[in-house]
Amino acid sequence: MERPTISVLINNYNYGCFLPRAIDSALRQKASDAEIIVIDDGSSDQSRSVLEGYEKRVKVLFQENQGQAAAINAAVKASSGDILCFLDADDWWAPGKLSATAAAFQSNPHASLVYHRLQPTQTDGSIAFKPIPRTLCSGDLSLRLARSAGWWPFPLTSAIAVRRSAWKAAGDIPEQFHISADAWLTGIYPFLGDVVALSDSLGFYRIHNNNWYRPVDDAAMLRKRLAHWRTVVDATNQFLSAHGLDGRLRLTDHFPYRVASARLEGADARTRFRLAAEGLFFAGEPNLLRRMREALRTARDLPRRGQAVSLSESAR
């Protein structure tokens, strides 16, 4: 695969105000063998008029609102590239993202997924904080995920690229992932091949009121995260069973799940100590210093039993 064909797949729902920057960042890439497909998932804002201005340069698809998973699945079906690169319409890429991704796949023939860091920004594009994820993981991650209930310092959608052969092996993203479809990509593909992490920040993640990231979590968001993690674990176990792969995930191994539950319920001294100890040995975070810091923060910041949670401490 000397010059791999790349498919850029941009999913959009009511992000017409952000969409031009995302599309322009893909058009400005130096990879001459890339196709760009934008799928609009039933937007009711100005997205259609924005996309009409790009129809001569990119392939545009429209569908009724069905959620992110259905949108990405439809875009993949309409694509032809050997490498699938995903971009959320509210994010954008740095120059050189596609060429670096293609080179990583060429150098790592067993890789199913290649990712890089993203630079978080405020809505206006100004820098928010350090690039994410802080810890990078490469190689065969299947054993790590089996011991952490699938949690690792995973990348977000706009940083992810997968090999089409791995997509065919995994199948479409289940449509219950109507948001956070990246949880399927980062949860399943490490069981299908190696993962390659690029240390550079090759994209920008825009923080605003409508995305999954929160600097703080209130009780409602904690409940959403718990439900989401249960869905991910169930879907992963169904996949592993259906494909005859060893190992099953257990929520008892999912440290962020257990901490979120304790934040909702409150914790006594014994619970704090137990969770701090579990955090020190949590398989999902390879970096010892970060494990220690999170374990100590957990022991310090959990609310007492019976204490109502309105706004929790900083989210993971």
Side-chain angles (χ1 to χ4, degrees):
M1 195 169 63
E2 294 184 358
R3 285 193 56 78
T5 300
I6 303 170
S7 293
V8 174
L9 309 172
I10 303 175
N11 69 94
N12 175 66
Y13 177 65
N14 284 341
Y15 285 153
C17 58
F18 302 139
L19 193 50
R21 190 164 197 177
I23 298 175
D24 290 343
S25 75
L27 287 169
R28 290 171 183 155
Q29 298 293 315
K30 295 181 179 179
S32 60
D33 57 343
E35 63 176 357
I36 301 173
I37 299 173
V38 184
I39 182 156
D40 183 81
D41 188 41
S43 294
S44 57
D45 66 353
Q46 73 273 30
S47 292
R48 182 176 287 270
S49 62
V50 170
L51 289 170
E52 287 172 351
Y54 285 94
E55 284 184 323
K56 293 183 178 179
R57 289 175 287 172
V58 304
K59 184 175 183 178
V60 178
L61 306 173
F62 295 96
Q63 68 176 27
E64 293 183 2
N65 181 241
Q66 301 174 55
Q68 188 185 35
I72 291 176
N73 291 339
V76 172
K77 286 182 175 67
S79 69
S80 59
D82 297 318
I83 295 171
L84 308 174
C85 295
F86 306 101
L87 177 59
D88 287 342
D90 51 338
D91 301 332
W92 72 97
W93 287 337
K97 179 260 173 25
L98 291 185
S99 57
T101 299
F105 275 112
Q106 287 179 310
S107 301
N108 298 272
H110 300 295
S112 63
L113 185 151
V114 170
Y115 75 97
H116 53 78
R117 288 186 168 114
L118 291 175
Q119 174 60 65
T121 72
Q122 305 294 350
T123 303
D124 61 4
S126 60
I127 301 301
F129 48 85
K130 292 181 180 180
I132 55 175
R134 299 290 301 281
T135 304
L136 297 177
C137 299
S138 290
D140 181 357
L141 304 187
S142 58
L143 291 178
R144 180 176 300 281
L145 267 63
R147 292 186 291 115
S148 67
W151 197 97
W152 58 293
F154 51 84
L156 302 175
T157 306
S158 298
I160 296 171
V162 303
R163 206 182 291 274
R164 182 177 291 274
S165 57
W167 178 279
K168 291 180 178 178
D172 286 354
I173 302 173
E175 295 196 5
Q176 63 259 41
F177 291 90
H178 59 281
I179 60 172
S180 297
D182 49 355
W184 172 262
L185 300 173
T186 59
I188 295 299
Y189 284 71
F191 291 99
L192 297 174
D194 289 346
V195 172
V196 177
L198 305 177
S199 60
D200 291 338
S201 295
L202 297 175
F204 299 84
Y205 177 75
R206 195 190 306 265
I207 299 171
H208 54 85
N209 290 333
N210 198 39
N211 56 15
W212 187 247
Y213 175 84
R214 295 288 188 279
V216 292
D217 279 344
D218 59 15
M221 180 55 75
L222 286 172
R223 293 188 184 98
K224 287 181 181 179
R225 293 193 190 281
L226 291 171
H228 171 70
W229 286 326
R230 288 192 296 269
T231 297
V232 172
V233 167
D234 289 344
T236 304
N237 283 337
Q238 290 173 19
F239 176 86
L240 295 174
S241 177
H243 288 76
L245 298 173
D246 294 334
R248 297 295 180 269
L249 309 188
R250 303 181 305 168
L251 274 173
T252 52
D253 296 327
H254 197 300
F255 181 66
Y257 183 93
R258 291 174 57 74
V259 171
S261 297
R263 283 178 174 159
L264 281 175
E265 298 169 2
D268 56 19
R270 183 176 181 180
T271 301
R272 292 169 190 270
F273 179 80
R274 184 177 68 249
L275 284 175
E278 290 177 8
L280 288 173
F281 296 97
F282 178 49
E285 174 55 76
N287 186 286
L288 175 60
L289 181 60
R290 293 195 178 103
R291 287 204 310 271
M292 293 174 61
R293 189 184 302 131
E294 182 61 26
L296 292 174
R297 185 183 296 121
T298 296
R300 181 194 68 197
D301 293 341
L302 283 176
R304 298 184 183 89
R305 286 197 182 278
Q307 179 181 351
V309 177
S310 54
L311 285 178
S312 78
E313 297 76 17
S314 295
R316 285 188 62 86

